Amino acid sequence: AARRLARLQLALDGYDNFEASSAYDEARRREAAAAAEKAAKGADAVVTEGDEQWTSDDNLAKDKDERERIRVPRGMFIHGAVGTGKSMLMDTFCEHARVAKKRRVHFHSFMADMHKRIHKMKQRDLAKHGRSFSVDTSEERNPILRVATELSGEVSLLCFDEFQVTDVADALILSQLFGTLWARGVVVVATSNRPPSDLYEGGINRGYFLPFIDMLRRHCIVHEFESSTDYRRLLSDGLDEFFFVSDENGGFDNAAKQCGDIFEQLVDGTSACPIELDVAFGRTISVRQAHPDGIVGRFTFDELCNVELGSSDYRSIAQEFQFVVIEEIPMLTLKEHDQARRFITLVDELYEAGCALVCTAVAPPDELFTGREGVKSQQKNFAQKKNVPDESIEAKVGKMFGIDVAQSNGKTVGELASVRELAFAFERASSRLTEMCSKPWWRKAQL
C-alpha cells in the first residue's frame, strides 16, 4: 500500500484537474450541439470544420478520444481491519502530496456537507425560478451534478477516511456525485473497513447504488490491507486513568468522583457553566457543564445518544471542546441500535477532531459493544430467507419494482443492512475509544 501511494504521489506531482474538467465541458458542449443538429437536420447531418468532415456520431467519438488522451491518475481505495494504520498512511500521503487543491475529510462530514450544499442549491433555484422550476437529469437543472461541478473546481485530490455507506440518501446520490467528480479529473483516495463489493450490502434499493461500485473500481486501485494488528490498542496505555468502570453493584459513585476530579483539574478553578452550541440549520445543543473558553464539556450518555442528534451536532461539540467528558455509558446492543449508532458517530467525530476523552461506563471499551454474534445470526437468517422458493406476493412485487418490503421477522432489507454494518463499526469505535482515553493521546491533546 505504501509503495502504491508513493507511486501515486509521484504521478500527482503538480497535478491540477483543470485540463480534464475543461475537456469535459467541451465534450458536453459538443454533445449538446450535435443533439440539436440531429434534431434539426436528422441523424446523418454532416458537420464541417476546417478541411475536415465527419458525422455527428464521429464528432462525439473524436471528443471521447480527446478526453482519454488527458492522463488522470487512478486513485486508491484501501480497505482492511480497524487500527492497522490505513488512516495514518493516507494522512501521510495527503500531507506530502504536491497538489495545490487537496482536501482530507471524514466521509460522514463530507456527505453532510454535500447534502447541505444540495439543499442550498435547491433553495436558490426555488427563490429564483419559483415552483415551476423542474429538476431533471441535465447538468444545468440537476443540483447534485451542479454541486459536484462546483466541488471539482475546488479540489483536484480528495482523501476520505472511513468510507462507508449506510444511509439510503447517501447511496442514491453517490453515482451522480462521484461520476461527475471523476469525469472532471478529481482523484480520490479512501480508507474503509469494507471492500467495495460489500459497501451498502443489502441496503434499500441497492440496485441504484451498484453503478457507483463499478465506477469506483474503474477510477481507483483497490488494495486490501492484510494486517490484523490493532496498533491503537497496542500503543495505548494508562486507560484506567481516563476510563472508569462502574462499581461491582453497577453504581457510578466512585467512577463519577474520579471523573469529576479530572473535570475540576481541566476547568482549573474557572466556574463551569451551561452553554448553548450553535449547530447547522439554526439549531443549538445544550451543554450542562462547560468551560467558558471551550476547553472541556461535560455530558451524560443519555444527553448525547438517547436523543435525536446526528453527525453535524457531534461535529459542533468536537470543534468546540478540546476535552470531552462522557458519563454513564451503558452496554450497547443491537436491540438499541439507534443509540449505539449515535455513539459510534460521536466517537468518530471526536476522534477526527483529536479530542481527548474522560469516560465512565458499565464495562471496558472492549466489552461495551455486544451482539456481534447476533449480527452473524441475522446475516445467516437473511441469506436463507432470500432462497426461500415460496416467497410472498409482496416480496415478489417488491423485487419487481426495486423496493423494500417487510420480512417475516418484521425487519426490512435496509434495516438488516444497517445492523450488519454496526458489527464493523463496533470494532472501530472500541479501538478509537481506547486510544482517546490513553496517556499518549492525552499528551498529544495537551500540546
Side-chain angles (χ1 to χ4, degrees), residues 106-123:
H106 190 276
F107 190 68
H108 265 315
S109 302
F110 173 78
M111 290 308 300
D113 180 50
M114 290 300 100
H115 285 296
K116 188 185 299 183
R117 290 172 69 159
I118 291 168
H119 175 74
K120 287 182 178 179
M121 183 82 70
K122 290 178 178 178
Q123 294 297 104

Side-chain angles (χ1 to χ4, degrees), residues 112-413:
D113 180 50
M114 290 300 100
H115 285 296
K116 188 185 299 183
R117 290 172 69 159
I118 291 168
H119 175 74
K120 287 182 178 179
M121 183 82 70
K122 290 178 178 178
Q123 294 297 104
R124 288 199 298 268
D125 288 341
L126 184 63
K128 183 177 180 180
H129 303 286
R131 296 191 178 277
S132 61
F133 183 77
S134 60
V135 175
D136 57 32
T137 56
S138 67
E139 190 161 339
E140 295 74 19
R141 287 177 174 265
N142 188 318
I144 300 171
L145 302 184
R146 287 154 64 198
V147 166
T149 299
E150 282 184 358
L151 182 61
S152 69
E154 300 168 9
V155 294
S156 297
L157 171 64
L158 264 176
C159 295
F160 295 112
D161 192 28
E162 300 299 344
F163 197 108
Q164 58 177 330
V165 185
T166 58
D167 188 340
V168 63
D170 292 346
L172 293 180
I173 70 170
L174 284 182
S175 291
Q176 294 185 68
L177 184 65
F178 279 86
T180 300
L181 292 175
W182 280 319
R184 291 182 175 276
V186 176
V187 177
V188 173
V189 176
T191 68
S192 178
N193 297 133
R194 311 292 300 274
S197 58
D198 290 352
L199 291 173
Y200 198 51
E201 184 181 16
I204 297 173
N205 295 330
R206 190 172 187 252
Y208 294 107
F209 175 75
L210 294 179
F212 169 77
I213 296 178
D214 294 334
M215 285 191 290
L216 175 64
R217 286 177 171 146
R218 190 162 63 250
H219 291 280
C220 295
I221 297 169
V222 178
H223 181 90
E224 182 179 2
F225 218 78
E226 296 182 352
S227 173
S228 58
T229 303
D230 186 343
Y231 291 99
R232 292 193 193 109
R233 300 181 194 277
L234 196 65
L235 300 176
S236 296
D237 66 313
L239 180 66
D240 56 350
E241 294 185 25
F242 302 105
F243 192 100
F244 305 108
V245 179
S246 61
D247 306 331
E248 291 183 1
N249 61 4
F252 283 98
D253 292 344
N254 292 333
K257 182 180 182 305
Q258 292 171 301
C259 191
D261 290 343
I262 295 176
F263 180 78
E264 291 302 325
Q265 292 173 23
L266 291 171
V267 297
D268 194 24
T270 304
S271 297
C273 58
I275 64 171
E276 294 289 324
L277 283 184
D278 291 328
V279 191
F281 303 109
R283 296 185 301 105
T284 61
I285 297 176
S286 299
V287 185
R288 178 169 45 91
Q289 282 186 294
H291 190 284
D293 293 332
I295 295 174
V296 59
R298 189 173 188 176
F299 307 85
T300 65
F301 175 88
D302 285 345
E303 289 170 344
L304 291 173
C305 303
N306 217 15
V307 291
E308 294 184 359
L309 299 181
S311 58
S312 58
D313 304 288
Y314 301 139
R315 195 174 308 121
S316 297
I317 293 171
Q319 291 171 350
E320 178 71 17
F321 301 115
Q322 184 180 0
F323 302 91
V324 176
V325 178
I326 307 174
E327 299 182 86
E328 301 180 10
I329 303 171
M331 297 298 290
L332 300 170
T333 68
L334 296 178
K335 184 178 180 182
E336 293 83 23
H337 55 85
D338 285 339
Q339 291 89 334
R341 191 175 289 107
R342 291 188 192 110
F343 184 69
I344 289 166
T345 302
L346 170 65
V347 169
D348 284 342
E349 292 294 345
L350 295 175
Y351 187 86
E352 284 297 306
C355 299
L357 297 188
V358 185
C359 299
T360 67
V362 297
D366 284 344
E367 300 172 19
L368 270 181
F369 303 97
T370 63
R372 296 185 183 95
E373 292 303 317
V375 172
K376 295 177 182 177
S377 173
Q378 290 196 50
Q379 284 179 311
K380 183 177 178 181
N381 291 338
F382 175 62
Q384 290 173 346
K385 288 179 184 295
K386 286 175 68 178
N387 296 323
V388 174
D390 56 341
E391 58 184 345
S392 67
I393 294 175
E394 290 83 0
K396 290 179 181 178
V397 172
K399 188 177 294 183
M400 182 185 305
F401 289 99
I403 60 175
D404 279 318
V405 294
Q407 307 298 306
S408 59
N409 63 351
K411 289 186 178 293
T412 64
V413 175

Side-chain angles (χ1 to χ4, degrees), residues 59-77:
N59 188 12
L60 296 181
K62 181 176 179 179
D63 286 331
K64 184 173 183 293
D65 292 340
E66 184 178 340
R67 285 171 58 198
E68 287 177 350
R69 282 197 295 270
I70 299 171
R71 295 180 64 83
V72 177
R74 288 179 73 193
M76 275 193 72
F77 186 91

